[in-house]
Amino acid sequence: MELNKFKEFTILNSPALVEYILETSSYPNEHEQSIMNASVDETQFLSILLKLMNAKNTLEIGVFTGYSLLATALALPEDGKVIAVDPNKEAYEFGLPHIKKAGVEHKIDFVEGPAMPFLNDLLAKGKEGCFDFAFVDADKDNYINYHEPLMKLVKVGGVIAYDNTLWFGIVALAEDDEKFNDPTLGSIKQYGYDAIKKVNTFLPNDPRIESTLLSIGDGVTLCRRKY
Ligand code: SAM
Ligand code: CA
C-alpha cells in the first residue's frame, strides 16, 4: 500500500536482485505495510550474530508485526528473553499467531508504549549492563536519544544494532542527483533522512564503541560497546 511504493528504492539499485534475494528466502508480505519489516537477508544475519554472541537477554525497540522479533526469539536459547517495546500493540498482535506457532512466545516480553520512558525505567530499576544486544528500529528521530540509555543497558562487549542506516540508499546521493529528486521520495526525505544522516555522523565518532555500517537490508550499523 502507501509505504510499499518505496520497495523499488533499495541500496542494491537492482529491483531484480532484490526480488531474487527475497524470493529465494521466505518473503514476509502478509501485511499491507510489510516494507516496515526488516529484510530476510538481514534477519538471517542478525540471527547468526545473536547465536555467535551467545546472546541471552536482548532489547527490541520498534516491533511492528514482530518479524525481526520472531527471528530474534528463534535465535535465543530456551531461557533467553527479548524485551520488545512499541506503542502499536495492534500490529504486534497481528503477527502474534506466527510467534505462537513458532513456539517462542515465552521468550518475549512485549511492552506497549514509547521506548524512551521505558529505557529510563529499566535504568531506574538498576538494569545497567543487563543486555547482550539491542535492535533499534523505531522512530528514526530518536535513534540519537536512544543511544545514551542503551550504552548503559547493553553490557561492555555487547552490541547495539541501528536499522535502516542507509535509508533506502539515498544517504550518499548528491542533492542534485536525479534519484534524489524523484518525487516518490518525498516522505522518505521528510521523515528519517536527516535523523539517519546525523546518526551516521555521530556513531563513528563515539569513542566508546566500535561501529560498522553493513550494507545489508536497508543498512544496519553494529556498535560494539568497548567500555
Ligand atoms: N523491527 C520491525 C521488523 O523489522 O519487523 C519493524 C519495526 S517498524 C519499522 C517501526 C516500529 O516502531 C513501528 O511499529 C512503530 O509503532 C514503532 N515506534 C514508533 N515510535 C516508537 C517509539 N517512540 N517507541 C517505540 N516504538 C516506536
Ligand atoms: Ca527497519
Side-chain angles (χ1 to χ4, degrees):
M1 292 275 292
E2 184 60 7
L3 274 176
N4 284 349
K5 72 185 179 188
F6 296 126
K7 270 184 175 156
E8 67 191 86
F9 292 97
T10 74
I11 63 171
L12 288 176
N13 259 335
S14 162
L17 192 50
V18 173
E19 278 309 309
Y20 180 80
I21 290 171
L22 297 179
E23 278 168 14
T24 52
S25 309
S26 54
Y27 195 4
N29 59 2
E30 299 137 357
H31 194 281
E32 62 186 20
Q33 293 181 351
S34 61
I35 191 162
M36 293 262 276
N37 298 328
S39 67
V40 175
D41 50 346
E42 180 184 345
T43 50
Q44 283 174 348
F45 165 74
L46 291 174
S47 168
I48 291 172
L49 176 69
L50 288 167
K51 289 174 186 167
L52 288 173
M53 292 173 65
N54 289 318
K56 197 166 166 184
N57 292 297
T58 79
L59 287 167
E60 171 120 348
I61 314 296
V63 175
F64 192 46
T65 54
Y67 178 63
S68 56
L69 178 62
L70 172 60
T72 299
L74 283 166
L76 293 179
E78 262 314 292
D79 58 346
K81 205 53 128 181
V82 46
I83 304 181
V85 55
D86 196 309
N88 187 351
K89 193 173 182 190
E90 203 183 315
Y92 171 65
E93 284 174 347
F94 180 91
L96 191 55
H98 298 280
I99 287 171
K100 287 185 173 163
K101 195 171 169 192
V104 291
E105 194 190 3
H106 62 288
K107 299 187 203 172
I108 297 171
D109 279 343
F110 178 79
V111 178
E112 182 181 7
M116 202 62 202
F118 176 69
L119 296 178
N120 288 329
D121 268 11
L122 286 177
L123 285 174
K125 287 178 184 152
K127 299 287 184 188
E128 290 205 9
C130 286
F131 298 92
D132 305 301
F133 177 85
F135 183 61
V136 184
D137 191 18
D139 45 338
K140 311 308 172 205
D141 290 345
N142 266 322
Y143 273 24
I144 205 107
N145 300 324
Y146 296 143
H147 190 63
E148 288 314 311
L150 287 174
M151 280 297 293
K152 297 193 179 93
L153 291 165
V154 171
K155 70 181 187 186
V156 171
V159 171
I160 308 168
Y162 291 98
D163 199 29
N164 302 100
T165 46
L166 288 176
W167 203 239
F168 302 86
I170 65 168
V171 281
L173 291 179
E175 297 204 349
D176 60 355
D177 190 290
E178 197 184 326
K179 190 176 174 191
F180 191 80
N181 292 297
D182 185 320
T184 324
L185 277 178
S187 57
I188 290 177
K189 282 193 292 190
Q190 275 157 27
Y191 168 74
Y193 175 75
D194 290 335
I196 291 289
K197 293 219 15 159
K198 199 167 152 190
V199 159
N200 287 348
T201 307
F202 177 82
L203 293 176
N205 289 299
D206 183 344
R208 301 167 298 174
I209 56 172
E210 289 167 70
S211 73
T212 180
L213 201 176
L214 296 177
S215 52
I216 190 168
D218 188 33
V220 59
T221 300
L222 300 184
C223 307
R224 179 184 169 274
R225 184 178 165 195
K226 291 198 287 188
Y227 56 85

